[in-house]
Amino acid sequence: MKTQHERQENTQLRTENEKLRADNMRFREALSTASCPNCGGPTAVGQMSFDEHHLRLENARLREEIDRISAIAAKYVGKPVVNYPLLSSPMPPRPLDFGAQPGTGEMYGAGDLLRSISAPSEADKPMIIELAVAAMEELIRMAQMGEPLWMTSLDGTTSMLNEEEYIRTFPRGIGPKPTGFKCEASRETAVVIMNHINLVEILMDVHQWSTVFSGIVSKASTLDVLSTGVAGNYNGALQVMTAEFQVPSPLVPTRESYYVRYCKQHAEGTWAVVDVSLDNLRPSPTVRCRRRPSGCLIQEMPNGYSKVTWVEHVEVDDRGVHNLYKQLVSSGHAFGAKRWIATLDRQCERLASVMATNIPTGDVGDGRKSMLKLAERMVISFCAGVSASTAHTWTTLSGTGADDVRVMTRKSVDDPGRPPGIVLSAATSFWLPVSPKRVFDFLRDENSRSEWDILSNGGVVQEMAHIANGRDTGNCVSLLRVNSANSSQSNMLILQESCADPTASFVIYAPVDIVAMNVVLNGGDPDYVALLPSGFAILPDGTTASAGGIGDAGSAGSLLTVAFQILVDSVPTAKLSLGSVATVNNLIACTVERIKASLSCENA
């Protein structure tokens, strides 16, 4: 059997050798008849231009990488992946056919796109591999190149993509920009407190990735794994994924994307992870967002730090965005690289504080990690329930345009982390002529809570426990006790997390059971503590003065989203009453008026 196997291999090698010899002869003949582009006369091999020689070397290297990835993928897919001649072909790239032009349609009706997508077919996989390899090459160059591809703004703080130069530099790709779509491209660099191996693991694990970026990713899933990588790490890993990206407000439609994610180690301590859309495999008129090669370049730094360069490059139909948020979205601070890198930096800081062993435990003793874990679940739950995700069906209550209150109901059954019954969620977004930092400081301060929190009934709010989890003093988890002014009412405990980065900030809280919190404070399992989080998402309004977000204490405006969740009936089969809707509507309206009044007085 061994001899027979070797004989078969020899036959295959001999066949490949003959094929290469024939290719060699063909190339020799082509070179012998080659003509000079300047004079039209014959040219020798030695007179090949430097650019042509460089392109040939680059093409050969890309072909080797595609063959290597194809071999890895074949190992896991179970079938050999045939060579796909797209990159080596002189033919122009196939344009995308999206069918009907994207309409303005129902704002949240694109949820059918992700639901209808399944894992790629065997015939699609060679093209996916080739597209991923080309996307990786583009990402590296996009992360490293300067002018004229990236033009620096007048104030020197941001980089803007020169679209004409981009088309000249990267003529191949996923096809031309669809009619009516806008290009959003940005690049940011930061040094974060996490080693490169852990960063790669977070990016390649869909659960960890959607948890760390819960403020941006409303839902995500891995449809197929073409390669798990080699040598026990993610080098060469290929995943076909879907994701929905959000802004924490019901006024901004989410962006759905179907793409491949490819991870590659480029040198010792240098990794890159790239995404690129696969919408050309599933042409659909409901596609409103395409990801051109986007992702990050990660470089190892001393002492467990990493330098991360993030490139975000999408084409999107943003006509469904409410006027209140148009400036923020068009500025790139809602979905751009600055938002991703600021979130990553903040989450790395938070994770470092969770893992730290040299921090005094203070009031919480052994329950520090349990309390931080409970707060993390609270934040994720809040972010998942406040956006215009296609998983939600919002109903708009009458109001005055931007101040309209949107409500939805959800049934909670057999979920130990939520109280059973019908949960009513309500949210509204509005503009404030106050800086994001001032709004954040006002809402997180327990001393000013009685000015806006109707449910505290005017009681005195006292901080029982405090866990700092970031450089900024506002980044912390607190356990608050509301001492009711009415002695006949029992005191209430509130778990609160306040977190801020240069692009957004949150103040999120939930009433908690006293007995359950005692278990958590003693180091018990926090997963069984029922939470219904409410809170605030604070964003800069997108004007130049507010571009600094929370770090800017100037007079720029803020976009504030207020969201409440209330258990309206402990019986999941009960019907929602109009009285419950009216109650939560009045609760939001009163809270909004109190916040506006308090901050307007201070601003005046």
Side-chain angles (χ1 to χ4, degrees):
M1 287 177 65
K2 183 178 179 182
T3 304
Q4 187 177 1
H5 182 66
E6 290 178 350
R7 191 175 294 125
Q8 288 176 349
E9 283 187 344
N10 286 338
T11 304
Q12 290 176 356
L13 290 171
R14 194 174 294 111
T15 304
E16 289 181 15
N17 197 17
E18 290 173 358
K19 183 181 176 183
L20 289 171
R21 188 177 289 112
D23 287 344
N24 195 11
M25 291 295 295
R26 186 160 48 86
F27 291 145
R28 284 178 180 275
E29 290 175 6
L31 285 172
S32 65
T33 57
S35 59
C36 174
N38 296 323
C39 66
T43 181
V45 177
Q47 294 175 342
M48 185 185 298
S49 71
F50 175 79
D51 288 341
E52 184 181 353
H53 180 64
H54 179 73
L55 285 172
R56 286 179 181 273
L57 290 175
E58 186 179 1
N59 210 19
R61 185 177 58 76
L62 287 173
R63 173 57 56 190
E64 287 177 6
E65 184 175 350
I66 290 166
D67 290 343
R68 183 175 65 82
I69 298 297
S70 298
I72 295 170
K75 178 180 177 183
Y76 294 98
V77 172
K79 293 184 178 180
V81 181
V82 296
N83 285 335
Y84 192 78
L86 179 67
L87 282 180
S88 56
S89 169
M91 297 294 289
R94 181 179 54 173
L96 298 183
D97 179 14
F98 279 88
Q101 292 300 322
T104 53
E106 171 56 31
M107 186 168 167
Y108 312 124
D112 294 335
L113 173 67
L114 295 189
R115 283 192 289 270
S116 64
I117 290 176
S118 58
S121 66
E122 293 295 327
D124 290 335
K125 289 175 182 177
M127 179 181 174
I128 292 173
I129 293 169
E130 188 121 6
L131 193 61
V133 171
M136 178 63 74
E137 184 74 14
E138 180 175 320
L139 174 74
I140 297 301
R141 295 175 67 187
M142 288 276 283
Q144 296 175 339
M145 291 176 72
E147 293 186 359
L149 182 65
W150 291 99
M151 308 298 290
T152 306
S153 61
L154 294 176
D155 59 5
T157 58
T158 56
S159 296
M160 297 171 292
L161 183 69
N162 182 335
E163 290 191 54
E164 292 183 359
E165 185 65 26
Y166 172 80
I167 293 170
R168 282 195 294 269
T169 308
F170 306 104
R172 296 178 295 214
I174 58 174
K177 181 171 64 177
T179 306
F181 279 41
K182 289 183 178 178
C183 171
E184 292 180 9
S186 53
R187 181 175 69 178
E188 284 289 328
T189 300
V191 175
V192 300
I193 182 170
M194 183 177 287
N195 70 60
H196 61 292
I197 299 298
N198 289 347
L199 278 176
V200 168
E201 187 176 333
I202 286 173
L203 294 171
M204 297 307 294
D205 182 324
V206 69
H207 175 69
Q208 291 189 62
W209 175 67
S210 56
T211 297
V212 166
F213 294 102
S214 60
I216 308 175
V217 181
S218 52
K219 57 184 179 182
S221 63
T222 302
L223 297 180
D224 199 1
V225 177
L226 302 188
S227 168
T228 58
V230 293
N233 58 40
Y234 284 104
N235 185 23
L238 274 164
Q239 302 174 0
V240 177
M241 304 173 65
T242 61
E244 184 183 61
F245 306 106
Q246 66 175 356
V247 168
S249 169
L251 299 183
V252 182
T254 54
R255 298 177 173 184
E256 298 171 308
S257 190
Y258 170 54
Y259 57 94
V260 61
R261 175 164 293 178
Y262 174 36
C263 177
K264 181 185 175 186
Q265 182 178 9
H266 288 267
E268 188 64 34
T270 301
W271 292 71
V273 177
V274 66
D275 299 340
V276 62
S277 278
L278 299 175
D279 301 306
N280 50 342
L281 299 181
R282 303 282 189 278
S284 169
T286 59
V287 171
R288 295 179 183 175
C289 177
R290 297 200 309 166
R291 287 178 74 73
R292 286 194 176 272
S294 303
C296 59
L297 178 65
I298 304 167
Q299 295 168 283
E300 182 182 12
M301 300 282 284
N303 302 320
Y305 284 77
S306 298
K307 181 183 177 183
V308 180
T309 301
W310 199 289
V311 175
E312 198 66 18
H313 189 188
V314 300
E315 292 164 343
V316 63
D317 176 7
D318 64 354
R319 286 174 285 185
V321 177
H322 193 282
N323 287 334
L324 199 63
Y325 281 83
K326 276 192 179 297
Q327 182 68 33
L328 176 68
V329 172
S330 63
S331 72
H333 288 94
F335 294 99
K338 187 171 185 178
R339 178 89 183 93
W340 285 94
I341 208 85
T343 302
L344 178 64
D345 187 25
R346 169 72 197 105
Q347 289 296 323
C348 288
E349 212 180 58
R350 191 183 192 283
L351 288 167
S353 72
V354 171
M355 303 305 294
T357 56
N358 58 346
I359 297 177
T361 55
D363 306 313
V364 294
D366 297 331
R368 184 173 173 277
K369 283 191 177 181
S370 296
M371 192 165 157
L372 287 172
K373 186 178 178 184
L374 181 62
E376 179 186 60
R377 176 158 64 86
M378 178 178 68
V379 171
I380 292 170
S381 176
F382 174 83
C383 292
V386 75
S387 72
S389 172
T390 53
H392 308 151
T393 303
W394 291 98
T395 302
T396 303
L397 303 180
S398 60
T400 56
D403 281 359
D404 285 346
V405 176
R406 280 143 171 93
V407 297
M408 69 172 172
T409 57
R410 286 183 289 182
K411 291 181 180 178
S412 176
V413 184
D414 297 331
D415 185 352
R418 282 201 184 116
I422 295 181
V423 176
L424 178 63
S425 300
T428 190
S429 299
F430 58 97
W431 180 79
L432 282 169
V434 187
S435 72
K437 179 171 174 53
R438 181 68 203 103
V439 179
F440 176 65
D441 288 340
F442 170 75
L443 293 172
R444 74 178 179 84
D445 187 356
E446 70 271 15
N447 296 318
S448 58
R449 192 180 187 96
S450 59
E451 295 183 39
W452 59 263
D453 189 359
I454 299 169
L455 298 180
S456 63
N457 295 319
V460 178
V461 180
Q462 179 185 3
E463 187 177 63
M464 303 293 295
H466 179 98
I467 303 175
N469 61 3
R471 293 185 297 262
D472 192 288
T473 54
N475 290 323
C476 62
V477 175
S478 305
L479 186 62
L480 308 175
R481 183 171 67 188
V482 180
N483 299 312
S484 177
N486 187 342
S487 58
S488 64
Q489 292 182 333
S490 61
N491 293 340
M492 178 172 60
L493 285 182
I494 295 174
L495 179 68
Q496 175 177 294
E497 173 155 357
S498 56
C499 52
D501 65 50
T503 60
S505 63
F506 298 88
V507 178
I508 301 166
Y509 62 92
V512 288
D513 181 68
I514 294 176
V515 176
M517 276 310 298
N518 280 330
V519 174
V520 172
L521 291 173
N522 288 318
D525 186 358
D527 291 342
Y528 293 94
V529 178
L531 291 174
L532 276 182
S534 300
F536 308 93
I538 309 156
L539 300 172
D541 62 8
T543 57
T544 304
S546 74
I550 299 308
D552 179 36
S555 60
S558 304
L559 297 172
L560 179 62
T561 297
V562 182
F564 287 140
Q565 289 191 90
I566 297 176
L567 184 69
V568 295
D569 203 310
S570 58
V571 182
T573 56
K575 292 186 177 180
L576 183 66
S577 67
L578 292 177
S580 301
V581 176
T583 299
V584 76
N585 189 28
N586 291 335
L587 180 62
I588 281 218
C590 290
T591 303
V592 169
E593 287 306 314
R594 286 189 174 197
I595 291 171
K596 285 182 176 180
S598 296
L599 289 173
S600 296
C601 289
E602 287 188 13
N603 209 38

